[in-house]
Amino acid sequence: MTHLPQRSNGRYVLLGSGLNELRGLVQVAGMPAFRAKQLFHWMYHRAALSFEEMHNISRDFQKWLAENCVLGYMEIADVRESADGSRKIVFRLSDGRFVESVLIKEDEWFTLCISTQVGCAVGCTFCMTGFGGFQRNMTRAEIVAQVLLVKRAIHGELPRNVVLMGMGEPLLNLGEVVPALRVMVDPEGMAIAARRVTVSTSGIIPGIKRLGEEDLGVSLAISLNATTDAVRDVIMPINKAYPIAELLQACREFPLRPRRRITFEYVLLKDINDSLEDAQRLAKLLRGIPCKINLIPFNPDENLPFERPPEERILAFQDFLFRKNYTAIIRYSKGLDVGAACGQLAAHWRESTRKDA
Ligand code: SAH
Ligand code: SF4
C-alpha cells in the first residue's frame, strides 16, 4: 500500500509526514525516489519555510510541490517576552483558532512547551484550558510546526527539550501526536533526543498503553494531582474512568528504558491536596515506581476556584518527600508577566530551589 501525506483543501499537507509518505508523494509526482529523502531533510533538518528554499531540488519538482502541496505552517500571531527570558508564542491556525507554545529558558538550555489540541475535553477544574472546553484536535502538521517555527522564526535552533504540556490532552489525539513525535525524534528528521521529549497526560490509561506500544522512547509525565480517588474525582473528573490504582498500575507496566523515570506532576491546591497526609499517601502510592515528582504551586486565575498554598506548606510537602527519598522539585510557572493563561500551559519547567522560594 502506498502511503501518502494528509490532504486538506485539495492539497497534500507535508509537515508531520514520515519518509514513507514522502516516498509515496514522490511516486505520485513521477519523480525519482531519492527526492523523498531530500524533501524530508529540508522539512525537518533545515526547517525550510518554502519549496523555493530547497535549492537542490529540481525546478520541476519544486513547481509540482508548489501546485499540489503545502508545508502546513501557521502564522505567528504574537510573541511576548517575559522578564525571566521565557517567550510565549501565539499561533493563528488556518481556521482562525489560536494555540500557544511557551519557550522556557532554563539554566543553560531551552525547553519548548507545545499544544496538541485546541482546548481540552478533560475538564480538570483547576485548569484554564479545561475551563474553555474542547474545540478540536490539532493536526500533525500543526503540532510539528510549533517546534520548527520556533527554530526558524524565534530562536534559531531547536530547543533541547520538548514537552507536550501546552493546551490539550495528547493521549486523546494520538492519531496525530504519534506521527508528530516520530519525526521529532527521528535521527534523520528533527533529531531531538527521545528522552528529552515528554508527553504529559491526565491519565488516559488506553493512551498510556498505546504510547508504550509505539516504542518511541519518549518520556512520560502523569498529572496525578491528588492522592485519593475522592479528591481526584472532583478536580480531575477523568479519574472516574481511570482511577488512581489503575493509573499507577499502567505506569508500572509502561515499558521504561533503563535508568529512565516517570515524572509525576502534582499541582498544589490550598487545603485540597497540600497536607502532610497527602504527602504521606503520595510517597506510599509511588513506592516502587522509578519516578520523580514535580510539585507545581497552583497558578491562580479569577475563573478558577482554588488558591495557591502558602510557601511554607509547599516546602513542608517537598521536605516530606525528600525524607522519603524521592526527587521532588518545585516548579513555578514562568512567563507569568506575559499572560498568566500559560500557567496551565505548564510553563513550570524551571527547576526551583529553596533559595528561590
Ligand atoms: N493535558 C495534559 C497536558 C497539558 S496540562 C495533562 O493534563 O497532563 C499540563 C500541566 O499543567 C498538567 O500537569 C496540569 O496539572 C498543569 N496545570 C493545569 N492548570 C494549572 C494551573 N492553574 N496551575 C498550575 N498547573 C496547572
Ligand atoms: Fe486538559 Fe491537562 Fe488541563 Fe486537564 S490539566 S483540562 S487534561 S489540559
Side-chain angles (χ1 to χ4, degrees):
M1 197 183 97
T2 320
H3 295 272
L4 282 170
Q6 290 183 314
R7 279 177 82 85
S8 170
N9 296 323
R11 288 177 182 235
Y12 294 105
V13 183
L14 303 196
L15 286 180
S17 303
L19 195 51
N20 266 348
E21 285 87 31
L22 298 185
R23 287 202 177 106
L25 184 81
V26 163
Q27 240 177 38
V28 170
M31 295 289 159
F34 72 92
R35 293 285 182 217
K37 223 164 179 183
Q38 281 183 323
L39 190 54
F40 191 78
H41 188 260
W42 276 110
M43 282 165 48
Y44 300 122
H45 196 71
R46 307 286 295 268
L49 295 176
S50 70
F51 299 121
E52 296 91 82
E53 239 180 84
M54 306 178 177
H55 57 73
N56 62 352
I57 286 184
S58 66
R59 277 283 140 79
D60 276 1
F61 189 33
Q62 278 186 14
K63 192 162 163 271
W64 187 90
L65 287 167
E67 281 164 8
N68 296 283
C69 311
V70 290
L71 283 165
Y73 280 109
M74 59 274 195
E75 190 188 325
I76 295 177
D78 192 19
V79 181
R80 290 188 208 175
E81 182 133 4
S82 146
D84 61 26
S86 299
R87 274 172 285 185
K88 179 167 129 176
I89 304 133
V90 182
F91 297 98
R92 185 185 291 110
L93 306 180
S94 55
D95 60 358
R97 300 183 198 270
F98 292 96
V99 293
E100 299 173 331
S101 302
V102 188
L103 185 65
I104 302 153
K105 187 166 179 337
E106 318 245 19
D107 291 342
E108 310 209 341
W109 62 84
F110 283 82
T111 293
L112 181 67
C113 172
I114 61 171
S115 297
T116 55
Q117 296 182 313
V118 189
C120 183
V122 176
C124 305
T125 52
F126 53 83
C127 172
M128 276 307 291
T129 307
F131 181 79
F134 176 71
Q135 297 185 49
R136 70 165 171 85
N137 279 328
M138 288 175 73
T139 65
R140 57 193 72 179
E142 289 165 342
I143 295 168
V144 164
Q146 294 170 81
V147 189
L148 293 172
L149 272 178
V150 162
K151 168 175 160 126
R152 271 308 290 268
I154 311 279
H155 183 51
E157 55 185 277
L158 291 175
R160 191 181 86 151
N161 304 302
V162 174
V163 295
L164 279 62
M165 269 206 179
M167 297 166 72
E169 169 48 59
L171 299 191
L172 290 180
N173 185 19
L174 276 172
E176 298 302 303
V177 166
V178 166
L181 289 173
R182 224 179 268 295
V183 294
M184 281 184 215
V185 304
D186 187 332
E188 306 262 339
M190 288 154 78
I192 301 173
R195 68 177 184 287
R196 294 194 171 139
V197 176
T198 301
V199 176
S200 174
T201 179
S202 56
I204 311 293
I205 294 175
I208 295 171
K209 294 208 161 100
R210 162 131 185 245
L211 188 69
E213 284 158 14
E214 294 287 344
D215 197 27
L216 293 157
V218 296
S219 297
L220 179 66
I222 305 284
S223 299
L224 190 61
N225 298 342
T227 59
T228 64
D229 283 323
V231 171
R232 200 165 189 268
D233 280 350
V234 173
I235 62 173
M236 301 184 75
I238 194 79
N239 191 66
K240 293 181 194 139
Y242 306 120
I244 295 176
E246 289 171 33
L247 173 57
L248 294 180
Q249 188 51 32
C251 292
R252 289 194 169 85
E253 289 164 11
F254 188 76
L256 272 188
R257 305 228 164 140
R259 294 184 302 283
R260 300 269 294 275
R261 295 189 278 178
I262 294 179
T263 302
F264 287 93
E265 300 171 84
Y266 195 93
V267 177
L268 285 160
L269 306 166
K270 185 177 169 204
D271 298 333
I272 306 283
N273 65 2
D274 62 342
S275 70
L276 284 183
E277 290 75 43
D278 281 298
Q280 204 163 17
R281 277 191 295 266
L282 184 60
K284 218 165 150 191
L285 282 172
L286 300 185
R287 190 63 64 216
I289 304 179
C291 70
K292 51 190 171 196
I293 302 166
N294 283 348
L295 299 172
I296 309 164
F298 172 66
N299 185 28
D301 184 283
E302 58 188 19
N303 293 299
L304 303 174
F306 299 103
E307 285 174 59
R308 178 179 284 196
E311 211 59 54
E312 58 278 9
R313 211 152 151 101
I314 297 171
L315 291 175
F317 199 99
Q318 180 189 38
D319 197 56
F320 185 92
L321 295 172
F322 279 160
R323 282 189 279 116
K324 295 286 173 193
N325 291 319
Y326 283 97
T327 309
I329 293 165
I330 302 174
R331 293 185 187 276
Y332 287 91
S333 300
K334 290 198 105 189
L336 285 185
D337 54 333
V338 292
C342 64
Q344 47 290 348
L345 266 189
H348 40 237
W349 216 242
R350 179 175 75 116
E351 293 206 7
S352 180
T353 61
R354 284 154 175 278
K355 178 165 73 33
D356 293 341

